[in-house]
Amino acid sequence: HQAKAGEDSRVRPSQMDMDKVQSTLKQLVRDWSSCGAGEREQCYSPILAALQGLHPLREDRGKVKVLVPGAGLGRLAFEIAREGFECQGNEFSLFMLFASNFVLNKTRAVDCFKIFPYIHNYCNNVDSKDQLRAVSFPDADPNELPEEAKFSMAAGNFLEVYSEPEYLGSQDAVVTCFFMDCAHNILEFVQVIHRVLKAGGVWINLGPLLYHFSDQKGEDSIEPDYACLRGIIQVHTAHLYTCKVYTGTH
C-alpha cells in the first residue's frame, strides 16, 4: 500500500491489538512484579512443589526435561529452571513473546522499570487514584539464573511445534497452568501432551475449564466437562504408557 502525500504510512493498531497490549501489561504485574506474588503463590507454588517432590535431589534435576506450553511471560518456566530443571517454555502470542524477551533478556536489575498498567481502566476502581497506580518490574532478576541453567523459550503454535517428530517422547514432564481451555479442541492438546511425554512421564495441570472460544461466533469449540475430560485422559494413558497426571482446578 503506497501512502498518499501527508498520510501516515504506519499501520494503526486495531482495538484488538490495544486490548492485547493492555492484557500483556497486566500479565507483567501478575508474573513479574511483587504485586503478583500472591497469585503466583496460589498457582505456581503447587506446581513447583509437585516437581520438587518428584525430583527431591537438585543435582539430578538437570537431566529432567520440563515443557511449559502457554508460558506467557515465562515466569513459571523461569522458576522451574531456577530449581535446576531443564525447562522450555512455549508461547504463541507475539505480544507475550516480545514482552517476555524484554524481561528475560533486557532487564539487568530488580524493579528497574515502571509501568502504569491500569491507566485505561475506567471501571472497577476502588478509588480514582488506583487508575494511576505505578508498578515496578521485574521483582526477580533474570540474571540470577546460573550460566549452566538450561532454559529456553520456543515460539509457535503448541500443536504444530510439538507434533514434529523430534519431540516424540522427548519430555519428562509437561506443566500446564491456565492453558488447557485455550484450545479449540482440548482433546488435541491432550493427544500432543501424551505424545511428547517419555514413558512414565508426568503431566502437572492447574487451571479451570473456561473454554475461551465457547461463546465466540464463527469459532470452533468443544467443551467437555471435567469428569468427561479426565476419563478421556485416563483412556489415553492406558493405551499409550504410564503417565501420572496431577491436576488442580479453580
Side-chain angles (χ1 to χ4, degrees), residues 9 14 41-42 55 61 97 108 110-111 115 137 207 228-229:
S9 61
S14 67
E41 176 65 25
Q42 291 181 9
H55 304 280
R61 294 175 186 170
L97 288 166
R108 294 291 179 265
V110 170
D111 289 340
I115 56 175
F137 75 95
C228 176
L229 180 61

Side-chain angles (χ1 to χ4, degrees), residues 12-88:
R12 177 179 290 274
S14 67
Q15 184 57 50
M16 182 179 292
D17 292 330
M18 296 306 297
D19 289 343
K20 289 181 178 179
V21 169
Q22 293 177 35
S23 176
T24 302
L25 291 175
K26 291 168 185 172
Q27 187 65 31
L28 273 171
V29 178
R30 287 190 289 268
D31 255 17
W32 289 102
S33 83
S34 57
C35 300
E39 289 188 49
R40 295 196 303 272
E41 176 65 25
Q42 291 181 9
C43 298
Y44 297 168
S45 291
I47 293 172
L48 293 169
L51 283 171
Q52 292 163 351
L54 291 164
H55 304 280
L57 298 179
R58 188 180 181 92
E59 57 267 27
D60 294 337
R61 294 175 186 170
K63 302 174 184 177
V64 179
K65 291 186 176 182
V66 182
L67 173 63
V68 184
L73 297 186
R75 182 60 182 263
L76 177 57
F78 169 81
E79 294 294 344
I80 291 171
R82 187 153 67 165
E83 290 297 321
F85 297 94
E86 179 178 346
C87 187
Q88 181 172 86

Side-chain angles (χ1 to χ4, degrees), residues 186-206:
I186 195 171
L187 304 185
E188 292 180 330
F189 276 14
V190 172
Q191 289 170 342
V192 174
I193 288 170
H194 284 152
R195 186 179 183 279
V196 301
L197 280 170
K198 295 178 180 178
V202 177
W203 174 15
I204 302 172
N205 175 67
L206 187 145

Side-chain angles (χ1 to χ4, degrees), residues 82-101:
R82 187 153 67 165
E83 290 297 321
F85 297 94
E86 179 178 346
C87 187
Q88 181 172 86
N90 165 244
E91 178 56 48
F92 177 73
S93 167
L94 282 175
F95 295 86
M96 293 291 181
L97 288 166
F98 286 145
S100 64
N101 176 65

Side-chain angles (χ1 to χ4, degrees), residues 65-71 77 86-92 97 151-176 179 188-197 241:
K65 291 186 176 182
V66 182
L67 173 63
V68 184
E86 179 178 346
C87 187
Q88 181 172 86
N90 165 244
E91 178 56 48
F92 177 73
L97 288 166
F151 174 42
S152 61
M153 291 285 288
N157 182 293
F158 170 65
L159 296 177
E160 295 175 1
V161 173
Y162 294 95
S163 292
E164 293 296 319
E166 63 264 31
Y167 288 105
L168 177 63
S170 63
Q171 304 297 314
D172 296 286
V174 174
V175 167
T176 50
F179 172 70
E188 292 180 330
F189 276 14
V190 172
Q191 289 170 342
V192 174
I193 288 170
H194 284 152
R195 186 179 183 279
V196 301
L197 280 170
Y241 36 68

